[in-house]
Amino acid sequence: MSSENKVGVFLCSGCGLNEALNFNELVKVAVEENKASVCKVNQWLCCDESVNMIKQDITDENLNRVVIGACSQRFLSDIFSFGSDVTADRVNLRENVAWTHKPNDEDTQMLANDYLRMGIAKVNNIEIAEPFKRDINETVLVVGGGITGMTSALAAARAGNSVILTEKDDKLGGWLNKVYKTEPSHTPYLHPEMPETGKMISEVESNDKIQVFKSCLITKISGEPGNFKVILNNSQTFIVGSIIQATGSRPYNAEKLTDLGYGKYENVLTGVQFEEYFLNGKKLQDGKPVKSVAFIQCAGSRDEKHLPYCSSTCCTTSLKQALYVREKFPDALIYIIYKDIRTPAHMEHFYKRVQTEDNIFFTKGEVVSINKSDNGSIFIDIDNTLLGDKIRIESEVVVLATGTVPSTLVGEIETSASETEPNGKTLDGKKAAQSAEAGAKILNLAYRQGTDLPTLKYGYPDSHYICFPYETRRTGIYAAGSVRYPMDIESCKEDAYGAALKAIQVLYTAREGKAVHPRSGDQSYPEFFLQRCTQCKRCTEECPFGTLDEDEKGTPLPNLTRCRRCGICLGACPERIISFKDYSIQMISSMIKSVEIPDEFDEKPRILAFLCENDAYPSLDFAGRHRLQYDPNVRVIPVRCLGSVNVVWIADALSRGFDGVLLIGCKYGDDYQCHYVKGSELASKRMENVQEKLKQLVLEPERVKLMTLSIDEYGKIPGIFNEFVEQIREIGFNPYKGM
Ligand code: SF4
Ligand code: SF4
């Protein structure tokens, strides 16, 4: 303990704690064992009177460290917060001890005593985190001048930010320039609308706060949120604070749809081509009145051989185009052949309205073949229809409702049901989507980890598909619109507003030195003691957010406003030279070492469990709130991410005499739920190495186990803990105990 630390311990005896625990013993742990300057027990520590008492003691006794032994740190955090000069931490005696273990029991008391020891060790090894503050530039760069980009630019400009909008074409508008009409956007959602692209373009171009660069590409972006340096291909250079990527999507390559007749028969068109006929007044069928048009839905979408996902907009587009046909050729027969019609939200009204039109026939079924008849029209053979019969439709024109792929996709998706491995790689080992690594070359980021936003499979640049829909894996850069996932025009606009707000929010957090999601507002940041860096590059390779560039020797060059404070670099560093003021190797090691380890004759195994604070630890809280009972031999330490667990902590635990170590984090893999994208996956790789080491030390590899858990799986916690303790009992006690 630092000689300057003055620790006060305040214990709550409400919420059933008094009925479960011996507080005299806890006071002894605080005062006699750990030399706390003050230790008080109080019923209802969270009431105003008690909180004022703590504040008074802080002043009277000059306390700079406070331990609250009460409920979980996930509750009442605003109440138990005592200003920036006092480091306060919570020991969870309620959910982790009293509510989940036998009352007035020796093992329950030992558990409470250990948690108090760990809490005091923790505050003694935390320093106050001073935020770094930066001068930042408040300009927002919007890349892409389609509907999403223009909406984002206007939103940011209206909020008072300067905006730079770049567009690769010589005019703004993007795909909107290629549509005759748009789907309904206003109540009663029954009629396609004329696009108002021109009006929006002039609004953007006449806005004083928006500078537009057309026919323009990004050559290079370097720097970090608050201070990105952007170079355009016309050699113009400027500084911006945040970036919105609104580069949209492109149609799926119809040349791959030869089985649907594309490229074989000139009267088989894509939806995009069909739209052009109406937009430009081109003549279909040499200008003769068209007698029949068949739309084939999901052309390439929801198909493992092409795009396994739903492209979301194609059903509404075909409904809209059916009305074009109805308008221009009132007598034409119109067929819509579908797997399912998907018209979310208000578009259902539009679907219903199109159903009421005469001579529009909806047919559910699978297209099995397409052939040309002698008279030049197309035969479409359909199986698995609603009536169970095979049917044949003859149509003069066939329109394929092709899906979309994001502009961030490099090349084509190369998947097929039989050829795809579970990790999303194709058999030739090439990742289905790898824009950051392969270089989609849109943003041209000068980042050590690649030139563009990293993508999930299929090329969409998402970060955490459940919790943080706008975040990408590059802080301060937000994907919006159909580059993020397939979406219609109205959804693109909504997404554009969301991204604009995020792009503005990050300017404030960058200025204040605070983290964005998921540790929003955290002011701590990683510090690197580079004198001892061996340039192993582990941290620069493993940081999921590309925070760390590196010099030519491999020494990390942190860009702190890119950092999400996950601690994965801390977990990766073999030299243990990365730390946060309030999260460090020393802090966790001291907590581990503070636990009292009974000798093996006591028959009380000790298990150390690292639980990720994002899902696993909240899950443990839920287990507590549901009063689920579990083994009292487990000592839990919450960690920022499983990826932040440094293997030295496992070594510390085993050499201290713990009999087993459990790590519980978020699910990893393609459908990962890790809040830091790859933290739990990295941890699992590291643990494989740990288990190898254990074998070399003639220790059973089963002593270290990694598991994954979702936040709603709290019911599994007792089983996980109890089974692991049982397994360790079977293996036997740690032979290094007491050495
Ligand atoms: S804390 Fe996380 S985001 Fe920050 S540098 Fe380390 S690994 Fe990267
Ligand atoms: S992991 Fe540690 S030793 Fe390796 S490059 Fe990073 S700071 Fe240096």
Side-chain angles (χ1 to χ4, degrees):
M1 184 199 302
S2 151
S3 58
E4 292 152 20
N5 288 357
K6 283 200 82 184
V7 181
V9 175
F10 299 90
L11 303 169
C12 181
S13 60
C15 282
L17 289 157
N18 203 28
E19 290 80 62
L21 300 173
N22 178 342
F23 277 82
N24 291 334
E25 278 206 39
L26 287 168
V27 173
K28 259 196 222 164
V29 169
V31 178
E32 292 177 19
E33 250 185 57
N34 285 284
K35 312 293 174 232
S37 304
V38 177
C39 180
K40 288 188 177 166
V41 181
N42 195 291
Q43 204 182 15
W44 313 126
L45 204 55
C46 53
C47 72
D48 287 350
E49 207 178 305
S50 309
V51 174
N52 288 337
M53 171 202 74
I54 299 172
K55 287 181 180 162
Q56 196 59 48
D57 281 349
I58 290 171
T59 311
D60 295 348
E61 302 291 331
N62 264 333
L63 303 177
N64 56 8
R65 300 285 186 276
V66 167
V67 175
I68 304 288
C71 44
S72 165
Q73 58 266 45
R74 298 183 61 252
F75 309 108
L76 308 177
S77 51
D78 48 338
I79 290 179
F80 296 121
S81 162
F82 306 104
S84 56
D85 295 335
V86 178
T87 301
D89 197 56
R90 211 86 69 79
V91 169
N92 185 352
L93 296 178
R94 193 178 72 174
E95 285 82 355
N96 279 7
V97 185
W99 285 1
T100 40
H101 299 87
K102 212 157 123 195
N104 300 311
D105 179 80
E106 180 190 42
D107 289 333
T108 306
Q109 188 66 40
M110 289 174 104
L111 179 65
N113 293 353
D114 274 345
Y115 276 140
L116 186 54
R117 290 182 183 107
M118 291 159 86
I120 296 172
K122 181 176 176 184
V123 294
N124 274 322
N125 286 280
I126 290 179
E127 289 175 55
I128 306 272
E130 290 283 338
F132 59 87
K133 301 229 173 177
R134 298 271 154 101
D135 288 336
I136 58 137
N137 184 297
E138 293 194 359
T139 303
V140 177
L141 169 68
V142 179
V143 183
I147 183 71
T148 309
M150 289 195 293
T151 308
S152 281
L154 286 169
R158 285 182 197 129
N161 292 70
S162 298
V163 176
I164 290 171
L165 175 62
T166 65
E167 166 55 47
K168 67 175 170 30
D169 290 341
D170 59 2
K171 95 188 244 216
L172 297 179
W175 275 103
L176 271 187
N177 292 325
K178 299 188 178 173
V179 297
Y180 170 47
K181 290 185 186 178
T182 58
E183 63 267 20
S185 67
H186 298 98
T187 182
Y189 301 98
L190 302 180
H191 310 290
E193 296 165 9
M194 293 312 288
E196 298 195 331
T197 325
K199 190 171 155 217
M200 194 168 194
I201 292 173
S202 57
E203 210 182 323
V204 168
E205 291 187 329
S206 61
N207 190 307
D208 290 348
K209 286 201 154 294
I210 305 176
Q211 213 181 337
V212 179
F213 293 90
K214 288 180 279 196
S215 303
C216 200
L217 296 170
I218 309 275
T219 302
K220 183 177 172 188
I221 298 179
S222 54
E224 58 179 353
N227 192 15
F228 286 111
K229 183 177 175 193
V230 182
I231 304 175
L232 302 183
N233 62 346
N234 61 12
S235 302
Q236 264 168 303
T237 300
F238 41 81
I239 304 290
V240 300
S242 55
I243 299 166
I244 295 169
Q245 179 169 352
T247 49
S249 52
R250 58 177 186 265
Y252 181 65
N253 183 2
E255 281 166 19
K256 297 187 162 208
L257 300 172
T258 44
D259 51 343
L260 294 178
Y262 190 81
K264 273 198 306 240
Y265 311 126
E266 70 287 352
N267 41 352
V268 176
L269 310 169
T270 65
V272 177
Q273 290 170 324
F274 196 61
E275 192 81 28
E276 278 172 17
Y277 277 95
F278 292 89
L279 175 69
N280 302 327
K282 279 205 300 193
K283 291 193 172 26
L284 273 164
Q285 298 285 85
D286 299 328
K288 288 182 280 182
V290 174
K291 294 199 203 81
S292 52
V293 177
F295 293 89
I296 297 180
Q297 299 308 112
C298 297
S301 296
R302 303 171 67 205
D303 181 339
E304 289 298 332
K305 293 202 292 301
H306 300 283
L307 302 176
Y309 52 84
C310 167
S311 293
S312 164
T313 58
C314 352
C315 283
T316 309
T317 300
S318 294
L319 296 174
K320 180 188 76 170
Q321 292 178 343
L323 294 185
Y324 298 170
V325 180
R326 171 60 60 253
E327 182 184 294
K328 189 137 195 205
F329 308 108
D331 299 325
L333 300 176
I334 301 164
Y335 304 96
I336 299 183
I337 304 155
Y338 64 94
K339 292 181 187 169
D340 301 286
I341 291 285
R342 292 184 171 177
T343 46
H346 300 306
M347 287 310 117
E348 186 69 7
H349 300 300
F350 184 48
Y351 173 32
K352 291 261 163 66
R353 170 255 197 274
V354 177
Q355 279 178 320
T356 63
E357 288 283 328
D358 286 341
N359 287 339
I360 298 189
F361 305 101
F362 288 85
T363 303
K364 185 175 169 79
E366 272 170 40
V367 175
V368 286
S369 66
I370 290 208
N371 295 292
K372 201 159 196 173
S373 71
D374 293 340
N375 66 13
S377 61
I378 302 288
F379 286 136
I380 306 167
D381 288 303
I382 306 167
D383 204 351
N384 292 329
T385 60
L386 281 179
L387 298 174
D389 293 334
K390 292 185 182 171
I391 58 169
R392 169 171 280 193
I393 287 173
E394 185 177 357
S395 179
E396 283 182 351
V397 178
V398 172
V399 181
L400 303 181
T402 43
T404 57
V405 296
S407 52
T408 38
L409 177 73
V410 178
E412 301 288 345
I413 289 182
E414 293 177 27
T415 62
S416 76
S418 56
E419 287 177 355
T420 309
E421 298 169 19
N423 58 8
K425 292 177 178 179
T426 47
L427 274 188
D428 64 4
K430 211 163 88 183
K431 263 189 171 175
Q434 46 181 352
S435 55
E437 295 80 1
K441 303 284 181 198
I442 296 172
L443 297 180
N444 280 307
L445 300 172
Y447 280 32
R448 183 240 187 267
Q449 289 190 4
T451 59
D452 279 83
L453 294 176
T455 58
L456 298 180
K457 62 179 178 181
Y458 315 134
Y460 289 99
D462 239 333
S463 170
H464 192 286
Y465 71 103
I466 300 175
C467 297
F468 319 123
Y470 285 106
E471 295 295 345
T472 65
R473 286 193 241 166
R474 297 291 175 257
T475 309
I477 306 177
Y478 302 96
S482 62
V483 69
R484 203 158 74 76
Y485 62 81
M487 55 179 91
D488 63 18
I489 293 170
E490 289 308 301
S491 308
C492 282
K493 286 192 205 163
E494 232 176 88
D495 215 47
Y497 285 115
L501 289 175
K502 291 295 293 182
I504 293 168
Q505 182 192 46
V506 76
L507 301 173
Y508 290 93
T509 55
R511 181 189 292 122
E512 299 297 318
K514 291 179 177 166
V516 298
H517 277 312
R519 291 186 64 84
S520 310
D522 183 5
Q523 300 186 341
S524 70
Y525 54 89
E527 294 175 79
F528 296 73
F529 185 67
L530 290 176
Q531 289 89 330
R532 282 199 3 239
C533 174
T534 56
Q535 284 104 18
C536 71
K537 304 187 180 185
R538 292 268 297 276
C539 56
T540 56
E541 275 163 13
E542 293 193 4
C543 169
F545 303 104
T547 303
L548 307 169
D549 293 330
E550 63 193 29
D551 68 11
E552 60 293 343
K553 287 190 193 147
T555 311
L557 300 170
N559 297 274
L560 288 180
T561 58
R562 292 184 201 166
C563 175
R564 303 273 178 95
R565 282 69 159 179
C566 59
I568 288 174
C569 51
L570 179 156
C573 180
E575 299 301 314
R576 302 185 290 283
I577 57 174
I578 305 173
S579 63
F580 297 76
K581 287 274 189 294
D582 59 357
Y583 189 71
S584 62
I585 298 287
Q586 169 63 18
M587 183 192 96
I588 303 280
S589 288
S590 69
M591 291 170 77
I592 295 168
K593 288 171 188 163
S594 73
V595 172
E596 223 175 61
I597 305 285
D599 69 32
E600 62 185 293
F601 305 109
D602 287 332
E603 296 284 318
K604 293 183 191 298
R606 283 293 175 261
I607 307 301
L608 182 65
F610 292 108
L611 264 64
C612 157
E613 68 181 9
N614 296 295
D615 272 15
Y617 194 80
S619 218
L620 186 72
D621 272 350
F622 285 135
R625 289 176 92 78
H626 286 83
R627 319 273 169 141
L628 305 181
Q629 305 292 296
Y630 52 84
D631 196 291
N633 293 300
V634 182
R635 306 293 180 261
V636 171
I637 295 183
V639 291
R640 292 186 174 199
C641 170
L642 272 203
S644 74
V645 173
N646 193 293
V647 293
V648 76
W649 296 335
I650 316 265
D652 283 346
L654 293 174
S655 60
R656 174 79 185 144
F658 276 96
D659 302 288
V661 180
L662 192 56
L663 298 96
I664 310 183
C666 303
K667 293 191 171 157
Y668 53 87
D670 272 352
D671 294 331
Y672 69 87
Q673 294 180 14
C674 176
H675 294 61
Y676 298 108
V677 183
K678 54 183 186 177
S680 50
E681 188 162 5
L682 288 167
S684 104
K685 287 200 185 111
R686 288 183 209 146
M687 289 319 126
E688 284 168 17
N689 297 338
V690 166
Q691 285 169 329
E692 272 310 304
K693 282 258 160 53
L694 290 179
K695 278 191 212 157
Q696 289 162 15
L697 292 167
V698 206
L699 272 173
E700 301 76 3
E702 296 81 14
R703 287 190 190 277
V704 177
K705 186 171 182 181
L706 185 141
M707 303 193 69
T708 60
L709 194 79
S710 306
I711 196 159
D712 57 347
E713 292 179 322
Y714 58 87
K716 292 185 179 171
I717 294 245
I720 292 172
F721 281 7
N722 298 348
E723 278 161 33
F724 190 60
V725 174
E726 207 37 55
Q727 193 183 353
I728 292 297
R729 281 188 195 276
E730 277 166 25
I731 295 172
F733 286 92
N734 176 355
Y736 294 106
K737 205 185 273 285
M739 289 173 77

